[in-house]
Amino acid sequence: MKKTIRDFDLLGKSVIIRCDFNVPISDGKITDDNRIVESLKTINYAIDKGAKLLLMSHLGRVKTEEDKLKNSLQVVAVRLSELIHREVKFIPETRGSLLEEAVNNLNNGEVILVENTRFEDVPDKLESNNDFELATYWSKLGDIYINDAFGTSHRAHASNVGIAEKLPSGVGFLVEKEIKMIGEVIENPVRPLTVILGGSKVSDKIGVIKNLVNIADYILIGGGMAFTFLKAKGLEVGSSIVDLENLDFCKEILEKYNEKIILPIDVVCGLEVSENSTAIAKKIADMNKNDMGLDIGQDSIELFINYLEKSKTVIWNGPVGVFEIEQFSNGTKAIANHLANQNIITIIGGGDTAAAVINEGYKESFTHVSTGGGASLEMLEGTILPGIEAIDNS
Ligand code: ADP
Ligand code: MG
């Protein structure tokens, strides 16, 4: 068990909270403040306990001086200040006397937001390479370190692993929930456990397949990756996306876990991945060489739902079709709709899968929709995330 923010006496302490404020910004405006809203629980808790808050986050990709111009956290400070109804002092630097003085002058319950940690990546990638000197410098600004940025916990950066190794540390409420939800389901699932896997490529999900195939009772495979499995069974899959290098891997998995793995029996095809593509439904056995499978068909939806109906836990990673295009979104929508109305444990992992269910308005209908794309995938692979590993044990 990892220490959490609740395990510390925060009164009068300088608390560094690594948040995930990596929000979408367009024309200098935040277009979706969900990540800031999600961080409020931990921030408000620390304020209530009388901590002096030093917030850190990355924002976007920062590879050049030019990238800095569009990736300043200043807009986040403004929005956060509105949300917590108090001043958030923005420091337009990641180090230096302005920052140090602001930290020294903090009173209990006051909040500072430091500039984008990835500004330290120009030119020498100090943040992303977990530079020792940078992490030491940042750690000296605080008494306690709290990691509440799940989305970057699969990376060992100076602002997470680096600082955590140098200060008493714990996780915030968001990270605590992710560990509890995904971790517990994998370690000790309420059975039957069914995993739905989709998305485009087998190669992106090898680790997830290898880990979950051992744990799950059933694995339903949809999306682009289904076609590599179907081809591995010797079926014609037309011009559907196929991962040739992983054909043998799929063959092995199919042989070894034959009863567990459920593949689609029909598809919705198009001639190309495009809004203008006409959707044609067919049995898998009727696919010809020009057909590109872009969604699972109605019979497969029913087949999958049959398995979901006998499950007590469902983990879903990867849309079962090209859900971004209306005529190929039915499978993903039908599964989201079915799961949203079940009284079972439902865990959604993966950036696109989360986006798909949130777009359908189902965020609150699932037990847990993970906030971290890559980080949730790595947890599903059974990997221990470095940003969490570095936190003190309780
Ligand atoms: P996640 O982010 O949830 O882990 P992925 O990134 O693996 O999911 O997969 C999402 C992508 O997979 C989507 O962009 C979707 O369009 C694509 N996809 C789903 N089904 C197919 C298909 N049959 N052919 C090609 N791409 C597909
Ligand atoms: Mg994705």
Side-chain angles (χ1 to χ4, degrees):
M1 288 284 279
K2 291 293 167 184
K3 277 198 174 159
T4 81
I5 190 167
R6 275 179 270 108
D7 293 319
F8 294 93
D9 177 9
L10 304 181
L11 184 65
K13 299 278 168 48
S14 223
V15 180
I16 300 176
I17 306 179
R18 175 60 164 94
C19 300
D20 181 358
F21 291 146
N22 187 27
V23 289
I25 291 179
S26 173
D27 292 332
K29 293 209 169 66
I30 297 169
T31 53
D32 176 359
D33 68 356
N34 187 49
R35 286 196 162 138
I36 307 176
V37 172
E38 296 263 5
S39 70
L40 296 180
K41 194 171 171 199
T42 299
I43 292 172
N44 283 328
Y45 176 89
I47 292 172
D48 287 348
K49 297 287 174 187
K52 301 168 177 176
L53 279 72
L54 178 58
L55 309 181
M56 303 183 93
S57 175
H58 76 285
L59 174 65
R61 284 168 210 270
V62 185
K63 299 222 153 68
T64 61
E65 283 295 332
E66 242 199 338
D67 289 341
K68 290 185 177 177
L69 300 174
K70 51 181 190 293
N71 285 306
S72 170
L73 278 173
Q74 179 149 32
V75 281
V76 171
V78 173
R79 181 71 190 120
L80 178 62
S81 171
E82 289 164 4
L83 289 166
I84 62 175
H85 311 293
R86 60 175 67 215
E87 189 194 353
V88 174
K89 193 174 167 68
F90 178 68
I91 308 295
E93 294 177 349
T94 47
R95 61 168 97 198
S97 54
L98 197 63
L99 171 61
E100 291 154 26
E101 272 165 36
V103 171
N104 288 336
N105 292 329
L106 266 176
N107 292 313
N108 296 0
E110 288 184 347
V111 185
I112 286 175
L113 174 63
V114 184
E115 184 56 283
N116 188 350
T117 54
R118 289 200 181 154
F119 280 23
E120 290 284 349
D121 278 347
V122 182
D124 290 327
K125 289 194 159 261
L126 298 181
E127 155 74 332
S128 295
N129 286 339
N130 187 11
D131 179 73
F132 184 83
E133 181 272 330
L134 176 62
T136 306
Y137 173 79
W138 279 339
S139 71
K140 286 187 176 152
L141 301 171
D143 303 310
I144 295 166
Y145 173 78
I146 298 296
N147 179 13
D148 209 25
F150 181 69
T152 46
S153 291
H154 59 315
R155 304 275 182 244
H157 290 173
S159 68
N160 60 1
V161 170
I163 309 179
E165 283 171 344
K166 293 170 184 67
L167 283 179
S169 59
V171 296
F173 293 110
L174 267 183
V175 172
E176 185 187 18
K177 185 169 179 234
E178 296 277 2
I179 302 176
K180 193 171 148 54
M181 290 296 173
I182 305 183
E184 275 180 14
V185 160
I186 288 181
E187 258 163 50
N188 198 8
V190 181
R191 294 185 183 278
L193 163 65
T194 297
V195 174
I196 308 166
L197 287 178
S200 50
K201 289 184 282 169
V202 174
S203 57
D204 293 341
K205 304 288 168 77
I206 300 251
V208 179
I209 299 171
K210 278 188 180 160
N211 188 39
L212 294 183
V213 84
N214 285 308
I215 301 169
D217 296 292
Y218 305 109
I219 300 216
L220 317 178
I221 299 187
M225 73 159 77
F227 298 101
T228 308
F229 281 90
L230 291 164
K231 194 175 171 73
K233 287 183 88 168
L235 294 160
E236 167 69 59
V237 296
S239 58
S240 309
I241 184 169
V242 169
D243 228 331
L244 286 175
E245 326 73 282
N246 290 310
L247 264 184
D248 287 340
F249 168 78
C250 292
K251 270 186 202 153
E252 268 170 47
I253 294 277
L254 284 169
E255 271 164 30
K256 211 166 156 193
Y257 301 97
N258 188 30
E259 299 92 81
K260 278 192 187 182
I261 297 196
I262 315 301
L263 295 172
I265 46 179
D266 61 348
V267 275
V268 180
C269 300
L271 289 178
E272 51 177 11
V273 184
S274 141
E275 308 268 340
N276 307 320
S277 229
T278 308
I280 304 156
K282 338 191 138 186
K283 299 275 169 233
I284 299 281
D286 295 335
M287 285 183 85
N288 62 47
K289 68 178 188 340
N290 294 324
D291 289 326
M292 185 185 286
L294 297 173
D295 194 9
I296 58 172
Q298 194 56 40
D299 293 345
S300 307
I301 293 175
E302 281 163 30
L303 174 72
F304 282 13
I305 286 179
N306 266 333
Y307 283 92
L308 299 176
E309 276 176 339
K310 46 185 168 191
S311 308
K312 293 223 166 60
T313 304
V314 174
I315 299 175
W316 183 10
N317 168 245
V320 295
V322 181
F323 71 98
E324 299 93 333
I325 298 176
E326 176 67 26
Q327 61 271 36
F328 305 112
S329 65
N330 284 343
T332 303
K333 283 182 185 161
I335 288 184
N337 180 47
H338 175 81
L339 287 178
N341 291 297
Q342 300 306 299
N343 211 354
I344 58 172
I345 299 166
T346 46
I347 308 282
I348 309 294
D352 289 292
T353 319
V357 304
I358 291 170
N359 277 348
E360 290 299 303
Y362 290 136
K363 186 163 185 255
E364 306 303 329
S365 313
F366 294 92
T367 312
H368 183 59
V369 180
S370 178
T371 53
S376 60
L377 274 191
E378 291 202 17
M379 273 194 90
L380 294 176
E381 287 174 4
T383 308
I384 297 165
L385 309 186
I388 293 173
E389 175 78 347
I391 299 298
D392 293 345
N393 291 313
S394 61

